[in-house]
Amino acid sequence: MRGEQWISDSLNELRSADLQRTLVAYPQAGGRIRIDGWDYLNFSSNDYLDLSRNPELISRSSDELHSLGTSATASRLMAGSLDVHGELESRLSEWKGYECALLFGSGYLANIGLITSLVGREDSLFVDKLAHASIIDGARLSRASVHRFRHNDASHLKQSLERAAGRGRQLIVTESVFSMDGDIAPLKDLTTVAADHGALIMIDEAHASGVFGPNGAGLIKELCLADTVNLSMATLGKALAGYGGLVACSKAMRDLIVNRARPFIFTTALPPAAIGSAMAALDVLLRTPSLGRDLLENAAFFRSALHQAGLDTGPSQSQIVPIMLHDNRLALDLAAALREQGIIANAIREPAVPSGTARLRLSVTLAHTKEDLATTADVIAGTVGKLRS
Ligand SMILES: Cc1ncc(COP(=O)(O)O)c(C=O)c1O
């Protein structure tokens, strides 16, 4: 098409660096799926607790759909705030151990909305070097001066805060479980540094929620840090097997966000079906506190099988298990070869991870048995061996 030559040039550039992404459609989602009559183990799904086809979630979601309709039909500040939004927020705040909670359209929107509500041009943001793209995008949009501290390094954060002292409000943002490495932030140290410097701190618990902490409430609750972490952000789209984002915080903070967060204000409220599945997911978590523990035990088993097979799982301490390959081509070839053998796992390359750290990223879910995990470790090791030889 006229005027679009630059687009093919850009795509060619991406292709020649093995960095082009393409959409692949799957007939189903979840940790174990069927494609063209074949069973696949899917390690690219965030359905950590295997709840996406749980009859209770489906039935509750369908109840809300039938009773309230397909859409909230308006933004929250117009006529889109339904009773069920408030009910879910109140249950989420209790679960997370905070005074209040607020729903967003997604975790991505939550991160952008929260950061841009709290800091602006005059302020300073302190963001972990490996923070998720949604945090980085929020940081950029806020126009605050951004200081990236070394990954999980509380003393480097302290130095950065000291260097920027006196320049407006200070907000620290990091994740509790990192999305690409599966490692865990030193939350106690980070919150101590925040408190010592009078800085606000926000923790993204997208991957910890549903998995870590009592009834899957996350690491903030596990470590009793709700009094010191100002904003506890999470998603409904991973372990809770639904869609939406959330923040748990104080009432004053919630009131401010409702007034300031553009990705909250200028968008349609979550539909009733999404609220229903989140309610049922919470019921399951509260009734079955062992789910997260079981998942983490299986993930530890998987890591040890991979180590025995000579593979490097980086710093993973969670259900997210990377296999470090450091080569874009090898990561892509491995993902393709595994797919032929019934295993789905994504090759992760820059910009999702730093250049030179290409990897295969596997998410263990409760749909995977220990036997599946042992077999997968063997298949991966054999395939890496063949590709490297
Ligand atoms: C750490 C982290 N934060 C936020 C998000 C965004 O959440 P959502 O998928 O609900 O937009 C993700 C999802 O990939 C994530 O990994």
Side-chain angles (χ1 to χ4, degrees), residues 66-263:
H66 285 284
S67 122
L68 297 171
T70 54
S71 169
T73 76
S75 64
R76 292 289 297 275
L77 285 172
M78 294 300 174
S81 254
L82 305 176
D83 291 340
V84 287
H85 291 115
E87 283 162 30
L88 178 58
E89 285 170 345
S90 141
R91 292 196 61 193
L92 289 168
S93 64
E94 204 177 308
W95 178 52
K96 290 278 178 184
Y98 277 78
E99 194 180 1
C100 283
L102 185 69
L103 290 165
F104 278 82
S106 70
Y108 181 89
L109 292 174
N111 276 341
I112 291 187
L114 297 173
I115 296 170
T116 53
S117 296
L118 295 177
V119 286
R121 218 189 281 277
E122 311 297 318
D123 304 317
S124 301
L125 252 175
F126 302 84
V127 178
D128 187 284
K129 272 242 158 83
L130 296 188
H132 189 258
S134 53
I135 296 173
I136 305 306
D137 292 357
R140 286 184 186 146
L141 279 170
S142 75
R143 290 186 265 188
S145 48
V146 180
H147 308 264
R148 305 291 298 270
F149 60 92
R150 282 196 291 271
H151 179 53
N152 280 346
D153 187 338
S155 44
H156 189 225
L157 168 65
K158 182 171 181 289
Q159 285 166 24
S160 309
L161 282 159
E162 277 159 10
R163 243 180 275 126
R167 269 181 266 147
R169 248 192 311 277
Q170 298 188 317
L171 171 66
I172 300 160
V173 188
T174 190
E175 295 166 40
S176 53
V177 172
F178 279 82
S179 60
M180 293 298 151
D181 291 82
D183 56 341
I184 293 175
L187 291 188
K188 278 203 168 141
D189 297 345
L190 297 172
T191 50
T192 303
V193 171
D196 288 350
H197 291 79
L200 293 165
I201 181 161
M202 162 174 158
I203 306 292
D204 176 332
E205 294 235 75
H207 297 277
S209 296
V211 178
F212 286 86
N215 302 97
L219 278 158
I220 296 172
K221 186 134 181 209
E222 179 166 315
L223 300 170
C224 301
L225 293 173
D227 287 343
T228 37
V229 173
N230 303 89
L231 302 114
S232 161
M233 174 274 171
T235 174
L236 303 176
K238 301 188 192 294
L240 276 76
Y243 193 70
L246 68 116
V247 63
C249 56
S250 68
K251 178 169 183 323
M253 181 70 85
R254 182 183 190 270
D255 290 346
L256 181 89
I257 296 162
V258 165
N259 281 278
R260 284 210 177 153
R262 295 170 69 84

Side-chain angles (χ1 to χ4, degrees), residues 321-369:
V321 181
I323 295 177
M324 305 307 295
L325 300 164
H326 308 285
D327 179 333
N328 292 345
R329 192 68 256 159
L330 177 60
L332 287 169
D333 289 347
L334 178 60
L338 290 176
R339 168 122 194 194
E340 300 284 301
Q341 300 170 81
I343 295 167
I344 298 170
N346 284 120
I348 309 286
R349 296 150 287 159
E350 59 186 280
V353 293
S355 172
T357 69
R359 66 200 65 183
L360 198 71
R361 174 184 182 269
L362 296 105
S363 293
V364 178
T365 78
L366 286 179
H368 307 132
T369 62

Side-chain angles (χ1 to χ4, degrees), residues 6-29:
W6 66 272
I7 297 179
S8 343
D9 295 345
S10 306
L11 289 172
N12 284 337
E13 222 170 90
L14 285 173
R15 214 170 292 130
S16 55
D18 290 325
L19 289 174
Q20 192 188 3
R21 269 90 176 154
T22 50
L23 289 172
V24 177
Y26 294 92
Q28 295 176 327

Side-chain angles (χ1 to χ4, degrees), residues 4 34 43 143 155 192 223 252 263-264 294 313-314 317 360 364:
E4 293 190 4
R34 231 174 142 70
F43 290 93
R143 290 186 265 188
S155 44
T192 303
L223 300 170
F264 172 83
D294 293 347
T313 62
Q317 298 166 271
L360 198 71
V364 178

